[in-house]
Amino acid sequence: MQVTNTTLAEAPLPDTQGTSLNALRIALILMGALIALPAFVMGAKLNEAMGTRNSIIAGLAGGFILSCIAASAAVVGARSRLSSYQLILAAFGSSGGKLVNACLSVVMVGWFAVVASLFGDAALRAAAGSITLSASAWVAIGCVLMTATTLTGFRALDILAMLTTPLKVILLIATVAASWRLTHGAGLWVEPEHYELTIPQGISFVVGGVIVGALLTPDLARLASSRFQAALACFLAFAVGQPLVLILTGIPARLAGESDLVLIMLRLGLGLPAILIVVLAAWSSNAYNLYAITLVFRTFTRHAVWKLAAFGGSLGAVLALLGLARHLTPYLLLLSVAIPPIAGVYIAAYYMAWARAEPSVRRAWRLDSLAAWIAGVVVSGLEAPVGFSISGVTAVDSLVVAMVAYVTLHLSFSQRGEVE
């Protein structure tokens, strides 16, 4: 099942041909997506539930696990020069892959709308008293910024990350410094009276919240100058950057006794920085989301990339403006459990084909891959109700189960001559 760049779905996007990225540039783009409004909430909740010391431990451990998972996927992208969605077509078959990608597209457009809605609410609070706009107006402005960036092309995404990612880190550091000046660090290391999360549960919280992004790293890694650069970028983004974001958002939340970072910044007199952090966080993260959406749409149609970006951005904006995003969140969380086993299949399929030097055979459906995906989804869906866990992290369990199931089924089918 070796893959080649010969079909529409396997062709590189026009605006990325000839692009070669080093580890720092890839890491900055990934961190631009990680430093987002949901991450601010995650950092605050983690510190509140575990205390500063344990939240740092959970963040570092979770980030290391994420970096290992992301690196394994990124190396596949760097070697094959294919996006996640192209690898899915190769792993699941031309028809099976489209089915899987359709599921992914629903999740990704939905999350674009959710982030746009969060942006509207946060921007409204941050700009209160200085800019008179409704939340819907802020949503519209945000979606225009996000879509315009993606329409401009991948290079705009690259430039945006280079400029805004360091600035967002500086703004977070400024918030920590302002909180420290006000409180002198009082209560930072005081342990909570009741631990809502143990360290293993905290690690699971960190990994589960970001694993989808880690599994889609081939979208950028396919442009890496080498496999080493792709893997190094994942280490910088997930093992260093992600824990740093959680720490920088958790400390001011702990010192202020408030989980809303925007509200904390406003109380500290950081009005303009609050507006900037909201705009930049949503802008860069959703611009990257929309870039990923265009990649998955590209596996379905021959329409120009700018049309796909415009359609995806417009659809996400409509969902956000109609308020549907808030109602979609539980369903998106439910659908998201299907993503880790998808990646488990395409990672296992690629590495197995590479190790066994299997010839490229194009099929409409690959039953071994589909069955392995279903096995992973079943594990994701049953762990919480049944009350069991293999590793303590549901997303990791479903990933590993899907990989093991694929290897077992693929070898079995191969021996019977049903898979070449």
Side-chain angles (χ1 to χ4, degrees):
M1 197 202 71
Q2 291 176 338
V3 288
T4 57
N5 294 2
T6 56
T7 68
L8 162 70
E10 295 169 350
L13 292 179
D15 70 331
T16 61
Q17 290 184 10
T19 302
S20 181
L21 303 179
N22 60 29
L24 180 59
R25 289 172 67 188
I26 296 174
L28 284 173
I29 296 174
L30 289 172
M31 282 189 63
L34 291 173
I35 307 176
L37 300 176
F40 300 164
V41 177
M42 179 185 290
K45 294 296 185 184
L46 195 66
N47 196 305
E48 179 185 3
M50 304 180 66
T52 302
R53 186 175 291 101
N54 287 345
S55 67
I56 291 174
I57 294 172
L60 290 171
F64 177 75
I65 293 172
L66 285 166
S67 69
C68 294
I69 295 172
S72 67
V75 168
V76 173
R79 188 174 189 274
S80 66
R81 300 300 176 188
L82 303 178
S83 72
S84 307
Y85 321 104
Q86 297 163 337
L87 289 166
I88 287 170
L89 287 178
F92 288 87
S94 57
S95 297
K98 287 181 179 179
L99 173 65
V100 174
N101 279 336
C103 175
L104 277 174
S105 67
V106 171
V107 174
M108 291 159 61
V109 172
W111 279 122
F112 178 93
V114 169
V115 172
S117 292
L118 291 174
F119 167 75
D121 293 338
L124 179 66
R125 294 196 306 277
S130 57
I131 302 176
T132 307
L133 288 175
S134 66
S136 295
W138 279 114
V139 168
I141 291 171
C143 288
V144 168
L145 281 173
M146 301 157 193
T147 305
T149 303
T150 309
L151 285 173
T152 304
F154 175 80
R155 287 173 181 79
L157 190 69
D158 186 20
I159 294 171
L160 179 67
M162 294 287 288
L163 295 176
T164 64
T165 300
L167 180 56
K168 287 190 288 185
V169 173
I170 291 172
L171 290 171
L172 290 176
I173 292 174
T175 305
V176 173
S179 301
W180 190 275
R181 283 196 302 270
L182 183 65
T183 64
H184 302 289
L188 180 61
W189 301 104
V190 175
E191 299 297 327
E193 293 183 6
H194 172 66
Y195 288 92
E196 297 179 27
L197 295 174
T198 63
I199 289 180
Q201 289 172 333
I203 295 172
S204 177
F205 183 65
V206 173
V207 174
V210 190
I211 193 169
V212 172
L215 295 172
L216 300 181
T217 50
D219 298 349
L220 292 175
R222 68 196 180 98
L223 307 174
S225 56
S226 69
R227 281 172 274 175
F228 172 77
Q229 293 292 319
L232 178 59
C234 292
F235 175 80
L236 292 174
F238 292 98
V240 179
Q242 175 68 6
L244 179 63
V245 173
L246 296 178
I247 292 170
L248 292 179
T249 52
I251 289 176
R254 181 72 170 178
L255 294 177
E258 169 61 54
S259 61
D260 189 326
L261 185 68
V262 173
L263 186 57
I264 293 171
M265 296 178 77
L266 293 175
R267 287 179 178 175
L268 294 170
L270 303 175
L272 180 58
I275 295 174
L276 282 175
I277 196 74
V278 166
V279 171
L280 296 178
W283 185 4
S284 57
S285 63
N286 246 7
Y288 177 71
N289 288 343
L290 187 54
Y291 170 71
I293 289 169
T294 63
L295 291 181
V296 70
F297 282 173
R298 185 69 171 166
T299 64
F300 296 109
T301 177
R302 293 179 180 272
H303 285 302
V305 173
W306 71 267
K307 292 182 179 179
L308 300 179
F311 173 74
S314 299
L315 181 58
V318 169
L319 291 174
L321 288 170
L322 291 177
L324 296 177
R326 292 178 176 82
H327 303 292
L328 283 174
T329 302
Y331 301 102
L332 292 172
L333 290 171
L334 181 63
L335 287 173
S336 293
V337 303
I339 296 179
I342 291 172
V345 170
Y346 83 65
I347 291 172
Y350 191 86
Y351 279 114
M352 176 166 279
W354 182 10
R356 302 181 74 206
E358 295 179 351
S360 176
V361 178
R362 301 192 181 282
R363 296 177 182 272
W365 300 89
R366 293 188 178 272
L367 299 181
D368 47 354
S369 298
L370 291 168
W373 176 33
I374 292 171
V377 172
V378 168
V379 169
S380 296
L382 290 181
E383 280 200 352
V386 175
F388 80 96
S389 179
I390 301 171
S391 68
V393 184
T394 300
V396 173
D397 290 349
S398 63
L399 174 79
V400 173
V401 167
M403 294 180 75
V404 172
Y406 174 81
V407 171
T408 302
L409 291 169
H410 187 76
L411 290 175
S412 176
F413 285 14
S414 296
Q415 290 174 354
R416 295 192 317 219
E418 296 179 22
V419 176
E420 296 184 36

